[in-house]
Amino acid sequence: MASYKTRFPMMGTFIDLVVHHERGEALIKECYLQLQEFTQRFTVNQAQSELMRVNNYAGIRPVRVKPDLYALIKKSKAISVDPQNPFNVAIGPLVKTWHIGFKDAKLPTDDELAEKLQLVDPSNIILDDDYQSVYLSQTGMQIDLGAIAKGYFADRIKDFLTANGVEHGFINLGGNVLTIGYSPENASQTWNVGIQNPLAASRGDICRVVPLRDYSMVTSGINERYFEYNGQRYHHLLDGQTGKPISTNIASVTIISKLSVDGEIWSTAGFLSSIDESLSYLNRQAGIEAVLISNQGDIFVTNGLTDNGTVVQLR
C-alpha cells in the first residue's frame, strides 16, 4: 500500500499528515486546501474572516454565518455557559489583552482586566437557529475559537479522507492528533503517540506513550504558550472569572476521545484548580478519558485508562 507523508506550516504551527492510499498525494493536496479555507474563515487574526465579521458587528446586529461555523459556535457556547469549567468561547477580549504567544504580550493592569471581564459572558452570544445568525449583544465582545477550532478541522479532514477510502492515516495539527485505523508499519496495529512532558525544557521529551486506533489525543498545558515578566511566568489558559491565568496544580491535561473536537473542549474544560477536582469532573463526562500531569510531574489517569509507567492504554 502506498504511503504519503507531508509537513507544512499553518495556524502558527506545523501540520503533519500521513495517508496510506494509492491516491494519497492528491488527497493530501485537497486536505491542505481544506485546512487553508478553514483557517481563513475561522480565525480572529484576519480582519475580514467570517468569524471576525461576527466580532466586528458586536453590539450592532446579528451576522449570518455558514452552517459549519454556526454549529461550532453553538457547540462552543453550550460548553462555555457551564460554570463548572473554564472553557469560554467568549474569552476573546481577554486573549487580545494579554496576547500571550505573540511578541507584544503584556501584563494587563487590574483596571484593564476589570473592563474586559465585563465582555466575556458567553450567555450574551445570541443564536438564531432558523436564520443561522450570531449576535454578540455587547460592543467589544469577541468570540475566539482557538480552544476548539483545530479539533473541528481535524475531524473534518478525517471525514474527507475516510469518505475517499482511506483506512490508515494520521492527522497531527500541531500536537492535536487524530488517527484513522492503525499504522500498517506497526506490528501492534496502533499509532503510538507520545505525551509531551510539560515540565521539560524542550519539545520531544515524552513521558508516556498512548496506542491509538481510530481515536484522537489532544493536550493542553501551561508550557505551550506563556510569557515571563519580572521573573514570573504567565501561561495562556485564562480564567474568565479573574481575567488572569488559571491558578492550578495541573501542568497538562491530555484527552483521549473519538472526536478531536471533544478532545479540544475537555482538555481546556478539565483545567480546574486541582488534579483531584479535574479527575472527578472528567470522570463524569461520557466518551472521554484523560491523562493529567501535575506541576510536580506526577501522572494521574481517569477510570477508563491504565498506566504501567510507560504506556497509557484504554481498558
Side-chain angles (χ1 to χ4, degrees), residues 10-21:
M10 192 178 287
M11 296 182 284
T13 185
F14 284 96
I15 310 299
D16 293 290
L17 299 175
V18 180
V19 173
H20 293 266
H21 193 275

Side-chain angles (χ1 to χ4, degrees), residues 193-198 200 202-210 299 310:
V193 184
I195 297 177
Q196 168 78 19
N197 179 356
S202 59
R203 300 292 294 181
D205 186 335
I206 302 303
C207 60
R208 290 295 190 278
V209 171
V210 181
I299 296 179
T310 304

Side-chain angles (χ1 to χ4, degrees), residues 211-286:
L212 298 179
R213 182 169 176 165
D214 261 330
Y215 270 80
S216 165
M217 192 173 88
V218 178
T219 299
S220 290
I222 60 173
N223 67 316
E224 292 178 5
R225 295 201 307 276
Y226 60 86
F227 87 109
E228 294 182 345
Y229 181 78
N230 283 347
Q232 184 168 346
R233 178 176 292 191
Y234 298 88
H235 63 77
H236 75 292
L237 296 165
L238 302 177
D239 186 335
Q241 302 299 314
T242 67
K244 299 177 180 180
I246 296 167
S247 178
T248 180
N249 68 348
I250 302 172
S252 74
V253 175
T254 297
I255 300 294
I256 300 160
S257 57
K258 272 290 188 182
L259 293 177
S260 192
V261 72
D262 290 336
E264 286 269 61
I265 289 170
W266 295 108
S267 65
T268 299
F271 247 94
L272 303 181
S273 60
S274 71
I275 291 282
D276 289 344
E277 186 180 359
S278 180
L279 274 177
S280 176
Y281 182 62
L282 293 173
N283 271 321
R284 298 196 300 270
Q285 312 307 323

Side-chain angles (χ1 to χ4, degrees), residues 42-86:
F42 289 39
T43 184
V44 294
N45 296 320
Q46 293 183 22
Q48 303 305 314
S49 73
E50 188 175 353
L51 178 59
M52 280 306 295
R53 286 191 66 244
V54 174
N55 291 338
N56 290 336
Y57 281 99
I60 300 173
R61 67 169 176 83
V63 174
R64 192 172 190 178
V65 297
K66 292 181 180 179
D68 54 357
L69 179 55
Y70 183 83
L72 187 58
I73 291 174
K74 184 173 182 177
K75 185 179 185 73
S76 301
K77 178 185 174 180
I79 302 296
S80 299
V81 295
D82 179 357
Q84 295 182 79
N85 76 68

Side-chain angles (χ1 to χ4, degrees), residues 173-211:
L173 307 189
N176 183 320
V177 171
L178 182 58
T179 60
I180 301 172
Y182 60 88
S183 170
E185 300 167 1
N186 189 342
S188 64
Q189 295 195 331
T190 61
W191 295 95
N192 292 332
V193 184
I195 297 177
Q196 168 78 19
N197 179 356
L199 307 179
S202 59
R203 300 292 294 181
D205 186 335
I206 302 303
C207 60
R208 290 295 190 278
V209 171
V210 181

